[in-house]
């Protein structure tokens, strides 16, 4: 039961925690605010910043902002913190039952908020880009649980190969769990330690769409860099899908289909039909 507005307003620095799941349907939407790496979004420095042209961010909005704007209006606060159960890249869609998240609303002035109405408004505003479901009250103690739990994930990837793939070689990879070793990819080297990480991947489907285009469904251990697991990034992932197929291979599109248990077991969550590639693209 939520405390009354009078009770909460008496607290000097109160917080409210709202939990739910989000599905990201476009490839231009980061999870949290994507500040410009050069000016960091600073009000004065961004004015002369060539990289973001004074905008302060590299994308116009984010999951955090699209959710936070609606919740902020309801709770009468402009400040929030967004906690996700992991994250996906900007150009990767989050489909299926969605990714769990918690929004921490800071110093709200209103506490009697209809979360179902907020959920409906977020979805109305962002049809085709973002949907949230299951918004409910939660507690601070849920934040570390959400952020520290390890989940395998199921992905769908569209692959472009540098040469035709032998059908028998592709079929031999399906249903086998492969152990790979990954060095820190160049794209995240500025914020990740240089380590060799041992992970597993398991290809559950590999279907040709053309002579050099394949659709793959793969389950991967928590912390796997899936794009690099496909391409190999010049030998920084060993073995890679490209190495196993015996041809150069690039991930053209990637979707997260499911958040699984740590060992790849299917979590008990409602299943949503995933759009096919090329749909629900951001403008």
């Amino acid at each position: 039961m939520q405390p009354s507005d009078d009770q909460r307003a008496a607290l000097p620095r109160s917080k409210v925690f709202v939990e739910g799941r989000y599905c990201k349907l476009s490839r231009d939407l980061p999870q949290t605010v994507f500040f410009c790496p050069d000016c960091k979004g600073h009000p004065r420095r961004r004015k002369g910043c060539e990289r973001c042209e004074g905008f302060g961010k590299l994308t116009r909005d984010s999951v955090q902002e699209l959710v936070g704007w609606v919740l902020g209006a309801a709770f009468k606060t402009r400040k929030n913190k967004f906690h996700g159960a992991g994250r996906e890249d900007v150009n990767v869609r989050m489909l299926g039952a969605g990714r769990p998240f918690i929004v921490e609303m800071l110093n709200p002035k209103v506490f009697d908020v209809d979360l179902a109405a907020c959920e409906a408004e977020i979805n109305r505003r962002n049809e085709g880009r973002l949907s949230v479901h299951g918004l409910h009250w939660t507690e601070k103690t849920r934040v570390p649980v959400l952020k520290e739990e390890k989940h395998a994930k199921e992905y769908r990837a569209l692959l472009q190969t540098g040469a035709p793939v032998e059908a028998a070689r592709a079929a031999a990879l399906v249903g086998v769990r492969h152990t790979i070793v990954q060095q820190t990819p160049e794209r995240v080297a500025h914020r990740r330690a240089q380590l060799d990480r041992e992970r597993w991947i398991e290809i559950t489907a590999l279907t040709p769409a053309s002579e050099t285009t394949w659709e793959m469904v793969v389950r991967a251990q928590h912390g796997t860099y899936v794009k690099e697991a496909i391409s190999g990034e010049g030998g920084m992932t060993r073995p890679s899908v490209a190495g196993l197929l015996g041809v150069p291979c690039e991930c053209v599109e990637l979707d997260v289909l499911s958040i699984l248990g740590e060992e790849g077991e299917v979590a008990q969550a409602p299943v949503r039909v995933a759009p096919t590639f090329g749909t629900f693209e951001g403008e």
Side-chain angles (χ1 to χ4, degrees):
M1 180 177 179
Q2 292 298 305
S4 68
D5 286 355
D6 290 341
Q7 290 173 321
R8 295 300 297 269
L11 298 175
R13 292 185 63 82
S14 56
K15 299 177 181 178
V16 170
F17 296 84
V18 177
E19 185 170 353
R21 285 176 174 255
Y22 73 81
C23 293
K24 182 161 74 75
L25 308 176
S26 69
R27 300 191 190 279
D28 65 347
L29 194 61
Q31 184 188 86
T32 53
V33 183
F34 197 173
F35 288 114
C36 172
D38 291 349
C39 69
K40 314 298 184 186
H42 190 278
R44 290 194 300 273
R45 290 198 298 268
R46 74 184 191 186
K47 291 181 180 179
C49 183
E50 295 182 359
R51 184 164 184 174
C52 67
E53 299 180 341
F55 187 52
K57 300 186 296 181
L58 295 188
T59 60
R60 59 175 177 159
D61 46 31
S62 61
V63 174
Q64 177 182 8
E65 291 165 291
L66 297 179
V67 173
W69 288 333
V70 173
L71 291 181
F75 286 100
K76 303 299 181 190
T77 178
R78 299 176 67 180
K79 297 181 178 180
N80 68 76
K81 294 181 180 180
F82 191 95
H83 308 283
R87 64 170 64 224
E88 65 286 323
D89 289 345
V90 174
N91 62 356
V92 174
R93 296 186 299 183
M94 179 66 238
L95 305 177
R99 186 182 296 276
F101 71 92
I102 293 173
V103 181
E104 180 179 346
M105 307 303 298
L106 306 176
N107 303 323
K109 297 178 178 62
V110 173
F111 302 92
D112 186 15
V113 170
D114 185 342
L115 295 183
C118 290
E119 180 178 314
E121 179 63 10
I122 293 167
N123 294 338
R124 184 192 68 80
R125 290 188 181 193
N126 302 292
E127 184 176 2
R129 294 192 75 215
L130 173 74
S131 67
V132 301
H133 56 280
L135 290 188
H136 61 276
W137 305 102
T138 191
E139 300 176 344
K140 182 178 180 179
T141 55
R142 277 285 298 156
V143 174
V145 174
L146 188 84
K147 295 180 74 68
E148 293 171 12
E149 279 185 335
K150 291 179 170 56
H151 293 279
K153 298 171 189 69
E154 185 173 58
Y155 299 85
R156 182 176 58 201
L158 191 64
L159 312 183
Q160 187 72 46
T161 63
V165 176
E166 296 176 10
R169 191 162 187 171
L173 301 185
V174 177
V176 179
R177 182 165 292 195
H178 302 274
T179 299
I180 63 175
V181 177
Q182 292 194 301
Q183 294 177 312
T184 304
E186 291 183 5
R187 64 187 173 93
V188 298
H190 63 286
R191 54 187 173 88
R192 293 284 187 271
Q194 285 293 341
L195 297 172
D196 281 355
R197 298 171 173 85
E198 186 175 287
R199 299 287 187 263
W200 58 260
I201 62 170
E202 183 178 342
I203 299 171
T204 60
L206 191 55
T207 308
S210 71
E211 194 174 53
T212 57
T213 305
W214 291 71
E215 186 171 315
M216 179 178 73
V217 178
V218 59
R219 293 182 178 182
Q221 186 177 352
H222 171 85
T224 302
Y225 296 103
V226 176
K227 294 174 183 176
E228 287 75 16
I230 292 169
S231 70
E233 197 181 21
M236 294 179 70
T237 293
R238 314 175 300 277
S240 63
V241 173
L244 294 169
L245 288 175
V247 297
C249 194
E250 179 186 1
C251 179
V252 178
E253 291 183 348
L254 187 66
D255 295 331
V256 184
L257 298 180
S258 300
I259 307 293
L260 306 171
E262 186 172 1
E263 293 302 318
E265 66 274 18
V266 177
Q268 297 300 314
V271 176
R272 296 192 170 194
V273 176
T276 57
F277 283 109
T279 62
F280 296 114
E281 292 294 334
E283 298 178 355

